[in-house]
Amino acid sequence: MDAVSTPANGRPAVHLIDGSMYVFRAWHSMPDEFHDADGHPVNAVHGYTRFLCELLERVQPEHIAVAFDASLTSSFRNAIYPPYKANRELPPPDLERQFVQCRAITEALGVHLMIDHSFEADDLIGSTVWNLRAQGWRSVIVSADKDFGQLLGEHDEQWDYARGLRWGPAGVHEKLGVHPHQVADYLALCGDSVDNIPGVPGIGAKTAAALLSHFGSLDALLDRVDEVAFLRLRGAAACAAKLREHAEQARLYRRLTRIALDAPGADSADTLQRRPPPLDQLDALCEQLRFGAFTRSRLRALAD
């Protein structure tokens, strides 16, 4: 059994997977040579299924969930900032169809599925982490997304499965130069091009980290902005001026970068316990997706 599933300090683990990331990875990396019974491409489904089978075989988690995004244009963030993620193209119909099939595979393996039209996968995972931490559980977040760094408590881990890398709270500081509780402030300051969040003009990653190291938080920085000009930072005076000018935008951006902890995630570990799925449902999916004998045997073994 993989080391990531063993309890840390006596705390059992729940595994929370950023499903959409691994569907997109499969879509871009798998050859377009797989088709379902209706002739539609299913390359992303094949890649995602291999990933999920491998993780389940390797870790054998008793408590697990996969969160998917269904809110690319309808999340609460779009309501408060319409340009949010406006730089992203909507999935083409062939990929949208495969997302539905990947969700079906997830449920057919007895894995709890989380999806919501007002909250993103990050929020569903974050709320689950928050709920279960209070009940004595630690979380292993399976994703490479830097946003998840803000969720890591003392016993939690993030796992970039594709690269085989795992880290806890100290790893967030090594990567970004800020502590987990500062990640949302950090992204609000330096921006996040992936989500179309511009940040404060002229403030890059190193400057944002240096400012938060000195002031501790975005609120303290903006309250004491007059002190910025006297710091040993290149362009300190210009930086102070930009912060004064864009203070309200920075506070708005933090509402976007902060993962919500009140989303409809799982509120008990029992919800995340793997349950034996109906085998006829799995067999029908295998027929529809035209899985080969090897994949069918893996899925059958995992379902049993």
Side-chain angles (χ1 to χ4, degrees):
M1 187 177 296
D2 196 273
V4 79
S5 67
T6 58
N9 297 315
R11 290 174 176 253
V14 295
H15 286 73
L16 304 169
I17 301 172
D18 179 9
S20 296
M21 167 173 283
Y22 292 97
V23 176
F24 275 116
R25 282 191 171 183
W27 166 259
H28 290 295
S29 64
M30 293 291 290
D32 192 11
E33 60 185 31
F34 303 99
H35 296 84
D36 65 13
D38 298 320
H40 299 298
V42 284
N43 57 315
V45 183
H46 277 251
Y48 172 79
T49 301
R50 290 181 190 178
F51 152 74
L52 187 56
C53 284
E54 184 179 304
L55 186 142
L56 292 173
E57 291 163 352
R58 180 177 175 183
V59 180
Q60 300 173 33
E62 294 182 9
H63 298 84
I64 183 170
V66 180
F68 284 95
D69 282 317
S71 57
L72 192 56
T73 61
S74 63
S75 82
F76 73 92
R77 293 178 179 86
N78 295 103
I80 62 177
Y81 185 68
Y84 179 69
K85 289 190 177 180
N87 55 332
R88 298 194 192 185
E89 294 183 3
L90 292 174
D94 279 342
L95 179 55
E96 193 63 56
R97 184 183 302 109
Q98 292 190 68
F99 265 106
V100 175
Q101 293 167 322
C102 288
R103 297 198 291 266
I105 283 290
T106 302
E107 292 186 303
L109 284 171
V111 175
H112 182 66
L113 180 72
M114 299 193 294
I115 190 167
D116 191 88
H117 285 282
S118 296
F119 293 95
E120 298 177 55
D122 296 20
D123 304 313
L124 301 173
I125 289 174
S127 298
T128 301
V129 170
W130 186 256
N131 292 340
L132 298 189
R133 181 180 295 154
Q135 300 171 34
W137 292 78
R138 73 184 185 99
S139 297
V140 179
I141 301 170
V142 184
S143 177
D145 191 339
K146 63 182 179 298
D147 295 5
F148 284 117
Q150 64 189 276
L151 297 177
L152 299 186
E154 180 184 359
H155 306 295
D156 301 319
E157 281 185 292
Q158 186 169 343
W159 187 7
D160 181 348
Y161 189 85
R163 295 184 176 88
L165 300 174
R166 297 196 292 265
W167 60 91
V172 176
H173 193 271
E174 290 173 11
K175 290 173 178 291
L176 302 180
V178 296
H179 300 289
H181 69 276
Q182 298 172 315
V183 169
D185 291 0
Y186 165 84
L187 293 172
L189 284 168
C190 66
D192 188 349
S193 60
V194 174
D195 291 340
N196 205 37
I197 300 171
V200 176
I203 294 185
K206 288 186 177 180
T207 301
L211 289 169
L212 290 171
S213 176
H214 183 85
F215 291 98
S217 69
L218 177 64
D219 291 325
L221 167 63
L222 296 177
D223 287 344
R224 297 160 53 194
V225 70
D226 291 342
E227 298 175 32
V228 173
F230 301 99
L231 297 179
R232 290 184 177 178
L233 287 175
R234 180 178 296 177
C239 181
K242 289 292 187 183
L243 285 166
R244 289 190 196 94
E245 182 183 354
H246 295 274
E248 289 311 307
Q249 289 98 317
R251 290 188 176 97
L252 169 62
Y253 299 151
R254 187 178 54 188
R255 294 173 65 191
L256 308 176
T257 60
R258 181 180 283 163
I259 292 175
L261 300 178
D262 59 350
D267 56 11
S268 77
D270 288 345
T271 306
L272 306 186
Q273 191 161 7
R274 278 195 70 204
R275 290 172 170 81
L279 289 179
D280 57 346
Q281 176 185 350
L282 185 59
D283 289 340
L285 265 176
C286 286
E287 285 295 320
Q288 175 64 25
L289 297 169
R290 296 177 63 188
F291 282 147
F294 177 66
T295 300
R296 292 184 189 220
S297 66
R298 292 180 81 180
L299 290 167
R300 268 275 186 172
L302 287 166
D304 288 339

